[in-house]
Amino acid sequence: MNPEFVVSIAGRRFDPLQAQSDDEPAAGPPKAWIVQVARPLTADQITRLRTTYGLRLTAYVPNLAYVERVSADTAMALRKDPAIRAVIRFHDGFSVSPGASTTPVDDNDIAAFTILAFPDTDLDAARRALAELGGELITVLDATVSGGEKSIRLNLDVHKLEAVGALPFVLWVEPVPTIVDDHGGVGTTLQPGTAGMIASIWEHGLHGEHQVIGILDNGPADLHHCFFIDGEGRPPGPDHRKIIQVRNANRQDPGSHATFVAGCAAGDDVGAPGSSPCRGGAYGAKLVLGNRRTLTIFDPSPESMASTLFAELSAAHAAGAVIHSNSWHATPAGGGHAAYDVTASDVDSFAWLNEDCLVLGSSGNSGEQQGPPGTAKNAVCVSAATTDPAAPSLGDGAAGPTADGRVKPDLMLVGCGIESALNGTACRTGPRSACASSYATPLAAAAAALVRQYFLEGFHPTGLATPGDAFVPSGALLKAMLLHAAVPVETAAAYPSESTGWGLVRLTECLVFGAASPRRLRIWDLRNAAGLSTGQESAYTVEVVDGADRLKATLAWTEPAPAVPGVGVATVNNLDLVVTSPDQTRYLGNVMVAGQSVSGGRPDAVNPVETVIIDAPTVGLWTVTVVATQVNVGNPGQGFALAVSGAILAESSAGPGRT
């Protein structure tokens, strides 16, 4: 098989061209097909194929393939088109997760499953077909992924999986995962006060004001605790001091875990605002609270709490949250490295459709298997660091990489020795466990809120709050900035590390304050509407004026979800970061030795984040280029965020220099 064209679905690897000869189209109504193109499509080719054949070209399957519902005649015509390499039926075996048959069952071999159905599915007919196969508690939830597929949750005999996968409306079947909570004052973890660092972020008036963080946890937080109560007695809502919304709280008492992590993010003592040593990292922010039990509950009644992660994130966003913190992970069946599943797809679809949002998830507890939401492509996966400022190290968190080789966790925040709000008390704070990625995650969300406030108050590019410079950053830029702020915490042959990612977040590494600062930050934030298509690039120049300061460039972009959650490689679009020195030495993103970028190597085709780090850059003009190697699904193009910092001129020329 030619590796460039191998398609991997549900644990099966094959070359569609080799499978095509024995797979002649049959007459009848439109069916699902895998349509593989001969090379990455340009914008003009996409327009032609959509116009000529009615293709969507949005449901992507690596490598170079799409899932399309077309007639047999159209499938035959596509095989003759010079842009098309192969067309084969989307077979029944592509629809069932490899871990489905090994999921834990009850005494009757019954387990809970999620089905993704094609967008044009007749849901009444689907219910009848599933009931005929013995499906019980069949609940239709919502449109979950970017293509509008329908999500159905039900109980089913595991011996009926093959028959369910053969139903014509079924795109994917997987077990409902097990959800695990990933069980310190907070105030000193975001802005270490070591000599030579810029003053703390809080001292510049950034505490999270006008920012909203969504918390999805094991129930609502304790709204009677002084960190969350409203002094005027107002109920949760836009005018509440701290809590804008509480969703799905009617069937569960406040959660101790939820109370603690909400306090880490934005808790603030109503009796002593801004002064509690255990206040949240963004104590000026407000919160939207949700109940993660909706992700596994079964209730087909009209008042059903049953929901999906896509729906929960969307509801939080509708209430005002743009940063979404999840101190838990879903453990899919099958074991091994974290595979790409429906929960991960929900995160990536939500972020793709809401470019201003950022989703964070904990990496799990040490020794456990990683899982989504943190392992989704667009999420920030967070592990916990120890509190030792001189030599921080990993305190808690499961190691990566994901099953398709992406680096997870992404980064660390301090998650050891944390004290926060204690459920069932009027105003007590204290620890819950020695170390937990659960506590590092809301602190990472708080850090993202402070970064967002930095841009919204116009601190960039001058380092001074300037209303005329204010803008709304994308979620990709928030992610890029957190990674840009990360510093290595271990000496490893491979960097980023499988256990600590890109390192420990120190916001003073990326946020510049004051016009006199020798370090400057330059950023470029392009939404998908102005994004790149295959073969295009954007080039920017920065002038290094002092080689004693590190030059760092970080690229991040928000990915669409692949067509099928069970793909072997989840990456849809591939951008590459290329940094060129004044003497034309080229450095590729993520090609590093011992934490330093080196010339040569191969472009990273898997991770949607890339970094170049040069400790002693040559003085002069450097070129930073973003290359659109493959944009297989655009809206209409692929946007990106780029951050560059170092001893550079504040007024370096900014392209985009697209070619």
Side-chain angles (χ1 to χ4, degrees):
M1 293 187 291
N2 186 335
E4 183 180 355
F5 295 103
V6 168
V7 171
S8 176
I9 304 177
R12 304 184 182 201
R13 289 171 50 84
F14 58 93
D15 184 332
L17 186 61
Q18 294 179 1
Q20 180 174 272
S21 59
D22 297 325
D23 188 63
E24 289 302 320
K31 296 180 175 64
W33 306 85
I34 292 178
V35 178
Q36 187 174 56
V37 298
R39 58 187 56 85
L41 297 174
T42 65
D44 289 343
Q45 287 175 317
I46 289 173
T47 299
R48 181 181 69 79
L49 291 173
R50 285 175 171 166
T51 302
T52 305
Y53 303 105
L55 302 184
R56 292 194 306 158
L57 298 175
T58 56
Y60 183 74
V61 178
N63 288 317
L64 297 175
Y66 301 84
V67 177
E68 301 286 348
R69 297 262 284 185
V70 297
S71 68
D73 289 342
T74 299
M76 289 297 289
L78 282 166
R79 286 184 174 180
K80 299 174 183 178
D81 192 289
I84 305 301
R85 181 175 182 265
V87 180
I88 67 169
R89 280 290 311 278
F90 186 84
H91 291 294
D92 304 342
F94 300 161
S95 300
V96 181
S97 165
S101 61
T102 61
T103 191
V105 297
D106 65 12
D107 292 341
N108 297 313
D109 290 339
I110 302 295
F113 292 93
T114 296
I115 293 174
L116 294 185
F118 285 102
D120 56 357
T121 297
D122 181 329
L123 292 176
D124 288 335
R127 285 177 183 271
R128 291 193 296 271
L130 292 169
E132 288 175 2
L133 290 174
E136 299 177 346
L137 293 178
I138 302 171
T139 305
V140 177
L141 299 176
D142 64 351
T144 56
V145 294
S146 300
E149 285 78 7
K150 306 298 190 301
S151 181
I152 301 172
R153 193 176 295 166
L154 78 167
N155 285 343
L156 184 73
D157 186 332
V158 293
H159 302 296
K160 300 293 183 66
L161 284 170
E162 184 175 347
V164 169
L167 293 172
F169 60 84
V170 173
L171 173 65
W172 181 248
V173 183
E174 73 175 40
V176 173
T178 301
I179 292 181
V180 180
D181 288 327
D182 300 324
H183 318 285
V186 170
T188 60
T189 62
L190 299 183
Q191 45 278 352
T194 56
M197 281 194 169
I198 301 171
S200 78
I201 308 305
W202 287 349
E203 291 176 0
H204 292 278
L206 299 177
H207 320 114
E209 288 85 356
H210 309 298
Q211 308 307 305
V212 182
I213 299 172
I215 303 284
L216 189 64
D217 211 88
N218 68 339
D222 184 351
L223 303 188
H224 298 292
H225 193 280
C226 68
F227 270 26
F228 311 113
I229 197 170
D230 184 274
E232 302 297 325
R234 288 178 287 249
D239 296 327
H240 192 280
R241 177 185 74 97
K242 184 60 62 176
I243 309 298
I244 293 176
Q245 181 191 74
V246 179
R247 296 189 317 283
N248 300 322
N250 57 315
R251 303 189 186 183
Q252 191 170 4
D253 293 332
S256 59
H257 189 266
T259 300
F260 197 90
V261 301
C264 290
D268 190 26
D269 186 346
V270 67
S275 62
S276 169
C278 299
R279 63 195 183 277
Y283 63 86
K286 292 190 176 185
L287 296 170
V288 171
L289 305 177
N291 187 341
R292 64 158 179 74
R293 289 183 68 244
T294 63
L295 305 182
T296 55
I297 199 168
F298 284 80
D299 185 355
S301 70
E303 297 81 20
S304 172
M305 281 179 62
S307 186
T308 66
L309 184 54
F310 182 92
E312 289 303 309
L313 293 171
S314 298
H317 186 38
V322 293
I323 297 166
H324 305 265
S325 182
N326 303 275
S327 291
W328 52 271
H329 72 281
T331 303
H337 292 292
Y340 195 84
D341 64 1
V342 170
T343 307
S345 179
D346 275 2
V347 172
D348 290 336
S349 295
F350 171 77
W352 174 251
L353 296 173
N354 299 278
E355 292 182 72
D356 57 333
C357 288
L358 179 67
V359 180
L360 302 97
S362 51
S363 65
N365 302 304
S366 294
E368 292 180 342
Q369 176 189 351
Q370 285 185 349
T375 53
K377 296 180 294 179
N378 296 328
V380 174
C381 187
V382 185
S383 285
T386 60
T387 55
D388 183 353
S393 60
L394 177 66
D396 181 57
T402 61
D404 60 355
R406 287 176 289 114
V407 174
K408 293 288 178 177
D410 292 290
L411 46 81
M412 298 196 304
L413 268 288
V414 171
C416 300
I418 299 295
E419 298 182 22
S420 186
L422 296 180
N423 182 43
T425 70
C427 204
R428 282 183 55 201
T429 59
R432 292 188 76 247
S433 59
C435 296
S437 60
S438 273
Y439 313 152
T441 301
L443 291 175
L450 298 184
V451 172
R452 190 172 189 271
Q453 186 181 4
Y454 177 89
F455 291 122
L456 284 169
E457 296 195 3
F459 277 91
H460 180 76
T462 64
L464 303 171
T466 307
D469 289 331
F471 72 97
V472 178
S474 69
L477 180 57
L478 298 181
K479 183 176 183 178
M481 290 294 289
L482 291 182
L483 291 169
H484 202 73
V487 295
V489 297
E490 59 185 9
T491 56
Y495 177 81
S497 161
E498 292 182 356
S499 59
T500 62
W502 274 265
L504 176 66
V505 171
R506 289 178 175 164
L507 291 186
T508 49
E509 291 288 319
C510 70
L511 299 187
V512 173
F513 295 97
S517 172
R519 169 168 287 195
R520 307 308 302 176
L521 170 71
R522 302 292 295 170
I523 61 99
W524 295 269
D525 193 14
L526 277 70
R527 304 299 177 104
N528 288 330
L532 302 177
S533 298
T534 298
Q536 294 182 326
E537 62 182 43
S538 290
Y540 312 90
T541 58
V542 294
E543 185 172 357
V544 173
V545 295
D546 186 350
D549 198 356
R550 180 182 68 253
L551 179 67
K552 185 174 184 178
T554 303
L555 169 70
W557 66 94
T558 298
E559 278 266 292
V564 182
V567 293
V569 177
T571 304
V572 172
N573 295 333
N574 179 21
L575 304 185
D576 286 309
L577 176 64
V578 182
V579 177
T580 307
S581 72
D583 67 2
Q584 301 306 301
T585 301
R586 285 164 47 94
Y587 301 91
L588 301 178
N590 296 350
V591 178
M592 297 184 179
V593 174
Q596 277 288 294
S597 294
V598 294
S599 60
R602 297 174 60 85
D604 185 338
V606 176
N607 290 290
V609 292
E610 297 193 9
T611 296
V612 168
I613 302 174
I614 309 294
D615 263 355
T618 304
V619 171
L621 287 177
W622 289 68
T623 303
V624 183
T625 306
V626 179
V627 180
T629 304
Q630 287 191 33
V631 178
N632 297 298
V633 176
N635 191 23
Q638 175 62 64
F640 62 85
L642 176 65
V644 181
S645 66
I648 56 179
L649 289 183
E651 298 302 323
S652 301
S653 63
R658 183 176 300 172
T659 60

